[in-house]
Amino acid sequence: MQWYSIDLHLHTPASSDFQQPDVKYIEILQRAEARGLDMIAFTDHNTVAGYRKLQDEIHQLELLERLNRILPEEQSRLHEYRRLFDKLLILPAFEFTATFGFHILGIFPPETPVRELEHLLIDLNIPTEQLDLGSATVGATTDVLTAYRMIDEAGGIVIAAHANSNNGIAMRGFPIGGQTKIAYTQDPHLHALE
């Protein structure tokens, strides 16, 4: 048995509210390593654009390497990515905004195609024109219980994000009844509360 240090709620520059928009994806991974993390999930708001950009950058570097057209700086970056991927498990994910503005994390296995997750977000009523914006405010989407079920059935781990704070399903002072809060926190498709 072994303990792992994980962060399953991590934003990237693909989220519109990310505080350091100029940070590079390799720097995010280096910071995760420096903090001793073994596993992270890119959970940008209503998008998987950050995870897709990370994959695209690595695929581009690998293509240049295969074509023997890679520059020394690019080769160094590719080696660093490979080293980091040997140490860190990076999971595709998103932070979905359900009705009432409640946030739900969907965490998926690393082999999950990004295109499948984009289709899931569209099925969850994220407008296609907002799919790459990383906005936490996307208008009317899908109700909480349906979102839990759809994410779970798509193979995701479903986590109610920051459950008892702003945009959480058990947010204090929000005028929903006790039975609704019980349903939102004890649904069979919900795997964890953050």
Side-chain angles (χ1 to χ4, degrees):
M1 192 145 133
Q2 182 177 345
W3 287 95
Y4 293 97
S5 180
I6 62 176
D7 185 344
L8 297 179
H9 193 165
L10 189 125
H11 296 291
T12 77
S15 284
S16 63
D17 61 352
F18 192 74
Q19 298 294 315
Q20 300 170 297
D22 296 331
V23 73
K24 307 232 179 309
Y25 288 89
I26 199 164
E27 294 171 333
I28 294 171
L29 301 185
Q30 289 167 332
R31 288 179 191 170
E33 178 192 31
R35 291 184 177 164
L37 295 173
D38 300 299
M39 183 187 317
I40 59 173
F42 281 8
T43 53
D44 290 306
H45 292 291
N46 302 299
T47 188
V48 287
Y51 189 81
R52 186 181 64 240
K53 288 176 185 176
L54 170 69
Q55 283 190 323
D56 288 349
E57 181 181 357
I58 293 168
H59 291 146
Q60 180 65 28
L61 291 169
E62 289 172 338
L63 175 63
L64 292 171
E65 182 183 55
R66 280 193 310 278
L67 296 173
N68 202 23
R69 295 177 56 193
I70 195 164
L71 299 173
E73 184 279 330
E74 294 167 329
Q75 186 70 65
S76 176
R77 192 162 13 115
L78 181 57
H79 283 309
E80 178 66 356
Y81 270 125
R82 287 175 174 155
R83 186 188 71 74
L84 290 163
F85 270 75
D86 282 342
K87 296 188 95 179
L88 284 168
L89 179 61
I90 299 104
L91 302 173
F94 52 75
E95 182 174 7
F96 174 69
T97 306
T99 52
F100 302 121
F102 294 146
H103 291 181
I104 302 165
L105 301 178
I107 315 291
F108 295 85
E111 65 274 5
T112 307
V114 169
R115 191 67 73 211
E116 282 184 21
L117 299 181
E118 290 172 335
H119 281 286
L120 175 58
L121 286 166
I122 291 168
D123 290 344
L124 288 165
N125 296 322
I126 299 298
T128 54
E129 67 275 5
Q130 294 190 32
L131 201 54
D132 288 335
L133 300 182
S135 174
T137 55
V138 290
T141 57
T142 301
D143 69 89
V144 171
L145 299 179
T146 301
Y148 289 169
R149 180 185 52 77
M150 290 175 67
I151 294 168
D152 182 26
E153 289 176 353
I157 294 172
V158 181
I159 302 171
H162 39 78
N164 63 348
S165 63
N166 287 349
N167 298 104
I169 50 115
M171 178 177 22
R172 292 183 188 107
F174 194 79
I176 58 175
Q179 292 299 317
T180 302
K181 283 189 181 182
I182 290 169
Y184 284 2
T185 58
Q186 298 180 20
D187 187 80
H189 295 287
L190 177 66
H191 301 110
L193 300 172
E194 177 191 33

